[in-house]
Amino acid sequence: MLKHPEQPIIHGADAFAAMRRAGRFTADMLDYITDLVKPGITTGEIDRLCYEFHKKHGATPGPLGFHGYPKSICTSVNDVICHGIPGSRVLKDGDIINIDVTPIVDGWFGDSSRMFYVGNVSKQARKLCEATHEAMMRGIRAVKPGATLGDVGHAIQSYAEGLGYSIVRDFGGHGIGRVMHTVPHVLHFGAPGKGLRLEAGMFFTVEPMLNIGGPEGKTLADGWTVLTCDRSLSAQFEHTVAVTDTGYEIFTLSSKGYHLPPYGPG
């Protein structure tokens, strides 16, 4: 039921079931491409493989054609904060890459992204990726009925900035369900007790972007790719979550236990 045009939808049991299916498919696609992310592959080839995975399983790539976006997924390498367009770029040993997928399954959107290591990456890059994942999880663990989005943002901000990383403020998480982007807008910084109060049945993404350098980004001429202004490394993780009666549910968890690179069960 939509309570107000500016208020999130409160979803029921059927929507939860649909989002579990969409979320599982989303995670399965990221699991599928894990072993394919290695030196020598192009970001365009990763996109092609993901496009074929969608079609093989009867899903639709949500990003393709969204406001003119030309590909099925986003591939953001090294100093690319987000929305990197797949193409001819060849992945090299030492790169880190965020792969963001948003499939539509039976009319419902899943949305998740993970960082991947390409070959042997630096200790600095590993620490950034590990911190970004933990920041996301701290935000998610703050989700429960009666909490606020400010609580979620504060959990992320206090952890990330405590380690010396900056948080990208120009982009945030978003409501999701039968549309890709809707209310609420989920900031990854904030003050406890501030912002929208959470209710069971809300669906949204938590997807912090952390930079080693400053938080500022610049959009390239393609209208999508966002780089760090100081060309420092950036990392992002994303899950789609629901507020439940007792806390939260993550729709996009890997069934293989692939949570942090280098990926493996556990």
Side-chain angles (χ1 to χ4, degrees), residues 41-229:
I41 195 169
T42 66
T43 55
E45 179 68 2
I46 296 170
D47 176 78
R48 184 187 67 80
L49 291 166
C50 287
Y51 177 82
E52 292 176 354
F53 190 88
H54 283 91
K55 295 305 178 184
K56 179 179 179 181
H57 297 282
T60 301
L64 185 61
F66 180 73
H67 293 301
Y69 187 77
K71 297 291 183 176
S72 298
I73 64 172
C74 296
T75 52
S76 301
V77 183
N78 295 338
D79 58 349
V80 179
I81 295 173
C82 60
H83 303 158
I85 300 175
S88 60
R89 181 167 186 166
V90 178
L91 297 185
K92 299 178 181 178
D93 188 71
D95 286 342
I96 58 173
I97 179 174
N98 177 273
I99 300 177
D100 190 344
V101 301
T102 313
I104 308 169
V105 179
D106 298 327
W108 292 82
F109 286 80
D111 198 359
S112 185
S113 78
R114 298 179 198 163
M115 296 303 299
F116 295 83
Y117 299 157
V118 183
N120 298 304
V121 306
S122 69
K123 183 177 180 180
Q124 182 186 51
R126 286 174 180 265
K127 285 186 173 181
L128 172 66
C129 292
E130 290 168 0
T132 305
H133 182 268
E134 178 61 19
M136 174 188 67
M137 292 307 301
R138 289 191 181 214
I140 292 172
R141 288 194 289 267
V143 172
K144 61 182 179 181
T148 68
L149 286 179
D151 297 332
V152 175
H154 178 74
I156 294 168
Q157 180 181 11
S158 58
Y159 176 75
E161 292 183 350
L163 294 176
Y165 298 113
S166 64
I167 298 170
V168 175
R169 297 189 174 216
D170 292 337
F171 301 94
H174 51 88
I176 192 168
R178 286 190 173 274
V179 294
M180 188 189 303
H181 288 171
T182 185
V183 292
H185 181 56
V186 182
L187 299 176
H188 300 122
F189 57 94
K194 301 296 184 180
L196 178 74
R197 193 159 299 278
L198 302 181
E199 299 179 46
M202 292 180 178
F203 298 165
F204 52 84
T205 68
V206 179
E207 48 180 301
M209 292 155 254
L210 271 57
N211 297 344
I212 286 179
E216 299 82 10
K218 57 183 177 182
T219 303
L220 297 186
D222 62 25
W224 290 98
T225 306
V226 182
L227 299 177
T228 55
C229 286

